Amino acid sequence: MYKHLTVLICLLMTLPATATQVHKKELEELVMESDIIVEVDIADVYGKDKFSAISRDPEMQTGPGLDNEIVLYACFSELLLNVENVKVPKCFETTIWKKWHVSLGSFFGYQSQRVILLLKGEGLKRVHPGHFIWSLEDKGRIIELIKKRDTVK
């Protein structure tokens, strides 16, 4: 009886850990699902608490049960795809998935970097919780996938 109870408790303790995992998707699938693909400069990285107060504390955490979010303030450089003809502002905010257990400081490396964002819809939301930021090294491959996408549809 105690053996079964111990196993059950151990299994229940692992549920929160698996809840924050994101199923990885291949770049081709992400490009097909994207409405907007844009090259941007990350002008700032900061956090926001549940009151939308800005935080620059590198120890600020996100994750289930927390109301914090990590924000990338991105400024438009080049539009690679815009299926919905969404007006992309010169600068805009996009957020990291709130359910990840990460710190704000772990994203400071993106500041002043040029990256490619794969987004969806008018709100410029990430196409996938975990895999919407891509390096400029992937730009050629992304452009080829956009061309392939256009011939498939």
Side-chain angles (χ1 to χ4, degrees), residues 36-106:
I36 300 137
I37 300 177
V38 63
E39 186 177 318
V40 298
D41 294 308
I42 304 298
D44 201 359
V45 177
Y46 49 90
K48 285 187 178 179
D49 66 14
K50 64 182 177 183
F51 304 109
S52 295
I54 291 177
S55 171
R56 300 207 183 270
D57 178 4
E59 301 299 317
M60 187 197 85
Q61 296 285 316
T62 61
L66 299 174
D67 289 325
N68 302 327
E69 62 184 354
I70 295 172
V71 179
L72 303 177
Y73 189 73
C75 293
F76 173 85
S77 177
E78 181 181 355
L79 187 65
L80 304 176
L81 175 73
N82 191 348
V83 174
E84 300 291 322
N85 292 319
V86 173
K87 184 176 183 324
V88 179
K90 175 66 178 152
C91 295
F92 59 93
E93 292 182 339
T94 190
T95 61
I96 304 302
W97 191 43
K98 288 173 64 164
K99 295 193 180 195
W100 265 356
H101 289 282
V102 294
S103 68
L104 175 58
S106 66

Side-chain angles (χ1 to χ4, degrees), residues 23-35:
H23 177 72
K24 185 173 181 178
K25 291 187 178 185
E26 295 298 320
L27 180 57
E28 183 172 9
E29 188 176 0
L30 294 171
V31 168
M32 291 297 283
E33 292 175 6
S34 295
D35 296 329

Side-chain angles (χ1 to χ4, degrees), residues 109-147:
Y110 282 109
Q111 194 155 333
S112 302
Q113 296 295 313
R114 184 168 283 189
V115 296
I116 298 172
L117 299 179
L118 281 64
L119 306 168
K120 283 191 88 60
E122 292 282 333
L124 300 174
K125 302 295 181 197
R126 58 191 172 273
V127 71
H128 185 266
H131 308 286
F132 76 104
I133 304 170
W134 290 82
S135 166
L136 279 185
E137 294 174 2
D138 296 305
K139 184 176 180 177
R141 186 166 162 230
I142 290 170
I143 290 171
E144 288 302 314
L145 290 169
I146 290 169
K147 290 177 186 175

Side-chain angles (χ1 to χ4, degrees), residues 6-21:
T6 303
V7 170
L8 180 62
I9 290 170
C10 290
L11 286 172
L12 289 174
M13 289 173 56
T14 62
L15 284 176
T18 58
T20 58
Q21 292 180 346

